[in-house]
Amino acid sequence: MSAHCQLTGAKPGFGNRISHSHRRTSRRFNLNIQTKRYWLASEGRHVRLTLSAKAIKTVDVIGVEAAVARIRARGGKV
């Protein structure tokens, strides 16, 4: 499972760990990625979406139909 959100397009951020002695090593800021299964009534089937926690809340507000339309508008496959 790739670590990016299908709805928002958010990906992991990169930066540095800074130790007590101020040495810098590379690190990664991961998203809270979840796989959710939604019923898509217009197509009569379930869809499985890889979403961040923020995007799950967005789907709750705008609805799954509008969310799938946004994903397809961005060129994503559902």
Side-chain angles (χ1 to χ4, degrees), residues 2 7 9 11 14 16 27-28 30 32-34 36 48 50 53 63 77:
S2 62
L7 183 60
K11 295 179 180 176
F14 293 90
N16 290 314
R27 66 159 293 179
R28 180 173 161 153
N30 287 321
N32 185 3
I33 295 290
Q34 309 286 326
K36 294 282 286 181
R48 196 174 302 271
T50 305
K77 184 181 174 192

Side-chain angles (χ1 to χ4, degrees), residues 12-33:
F14 293 90
N16 290 314
R17 267 190 196 91
I18 301 181
S19 68
H20 180 70
S21 65
H22 218 65
R23 284 181 62 106
R24 291 161 191 243
T25 56
S26 185
R27 66 159 293 179
R28 180 173 161 153
F29 296 92
N30 287 321
L31 300 168
N32 185 3
I33 295 290

Side-chain angles (χ1 to χ4, degrees), residues 33-48:
I33 295 290
Q34 309 286 326
T35 302
K36 294 282 286 181
R37 189 170 171 249
Y38 290 101
W39 174 251
L40 193 58
S42 63
E43 298 180 16
R45 67 183 182 106
H46 284 97
V47 291
R48 196 174 302 271

